[in-house]
Amino acid sequence: MKGNVLETARSGVQVRFRPAAPEDASAAVPLIYSSGPAAFDFVFATSDGGDAQAFLHRCFVDGAGEFGWRNHWVGVAAGRVVAVGAGYGADTKWPFTLAAARQILKHYGVGRALGVISRGLRVESVIRPPDGDMHYLAHLAVAPELRGQGIGRALIDQLMSTARAVGRHRVVLDVAASNPRAEALYRRTGFQVVGERKSRLGNAWGKVPDHRRMERLID
């Protein structure tokens, strides 16, 4: 699928959206991490120095699963990845689960993997995976220096186009209650809050905030 092209009115920066590739990892992974650092650290950081971004990098390059490059789109400006996002449906549940189990075991080893898997399942009580007919948007992020120039809206438009292309009509995302700027962007693009889940999850590396579920119907 071809991507959209955005030229920002304020700076004249041109951003082209395209499917991600393995070589995007060094720029895309920090952006993915920035979309939910507390939750990522809660799940993937470990007491012996395990680093969430190191794990995300392994998964992105691997390509499979929720964090793999095959599941993402990127926005590129002047040859640099400046935006990233993913979209997927409930049909990915088992492929993503199997990929995650393999990636976690390979990265952490059996001893640490059980704790990582347990924390990941606990986070799903706050940030629920997609079910039914929904198309779920995740890992939405724009480089800090380019925020507020319409790139986030264009990224969402691109991901909405991919949802339409696979025949989905209900698009859902979760936003941290502690991130009003992102919530305001999603409201401007047609999403409405349909629920909120409280979080009591936290450890030495991250405290998962409350999350609001937002939804948008498309023709």
Side-chain angles (χ1 to χ4, degrees):
M1 178 184 294
K2 292 183 178 180
N4 298 322
V5 176
L6 165 75
E7 184 164 345
T8 65
R10 294 183 186 178
S11 64
V13 173
Q14 188 178 79
V15 181
R16 179 174 63 89
F17 293 93
R18 60 163 172 79
E23 55 268 25
D24 297 323
S26 61
V29 168
L31 291 175
I32 292 171
Y33 173 78
S34 75
S35 70
F40 285 135
D41 285 340
F42 172 78
V43 177
F44 299 121
T46 59
S47 59
D48 57 356
D51 177 75
Q53 289 198 61
F55 175 70
L56 293 174
H57 191 279
R58 174 187 285 272
C59 294
F60 189 91
V61 173
D62 178 82
E66 178 182 350
F67 305 115
W69 62 267
R70 292 185 179 89
N71 193 43
H72 288 81
W73 281 75
V74 295
V76 180
R80 180 171 70 97
V81 171
V82 298
V84 68
Y88 49 90
D91 57 331
T92 62
K93 177 179 178 179
W94 291 115
F96 279 13
T97 298
L98 293 173
R102 174 178 59 79
Q103 291 162 345
I104 290 170
L105 284 167
K106 188 172 182 180
H107 187 76
Y108 292 96
V110 175
R112 294 186 299 167
L114 295 178
V116 173
I117 292 170
S118 174
R119 293 192 296 274
L121 292 173
R122 291 171 66 193
V123 167
E124 288 188 358
S125 69
V126 179
I127 308 171
R128 298 294 299 270
D131 57 28
D133 64 345
M134 69 175 60
H135 191 82
Y136 189 78
L137 304 189
H139 316 152
L140 306 174
V142 174
E145 70 275 14
L146 292 176
R147 291 172 187 168
Q149 299 189 40
I151 297 172
R153 178 186 288 270
L155 172 64
I156 292 170
D157 288 345
Q158 178 63 62
L159 295 172
M160 297 294 285
S161 295
T162 66
R164 289 189 188 93
V166 296
R168 300 218 171 90
H169 303 284
R170 185 163 66 105
V171 181
V172 174
L173 56 82
D174 285 292
V175 61
S178 57
N179 192 352
R181 182 173 181 175
E183 182 177 331
L185 168 63
Y186 303 145
R187 288 182 183 275
R188 290 195 299 272
T189 57
F191 286 84
Q192 296 182 339
V193 174
V194 295
E196 181 170 344
R197 289 185 177 272
K198 299 296 184 181
S199 172
R200 295 181 177 85
L201 302 178
N203 57 22
W205 300 277
K207 185 181 185 302
V208 181
D210 299 343
H211 274 72
R212 293 175 182 146
R213 175 144 288 188
M214 304 186 75
E215 182 176 301
R216 174 181 166 184
L217 301 179
I218 56 176
D219 298 329

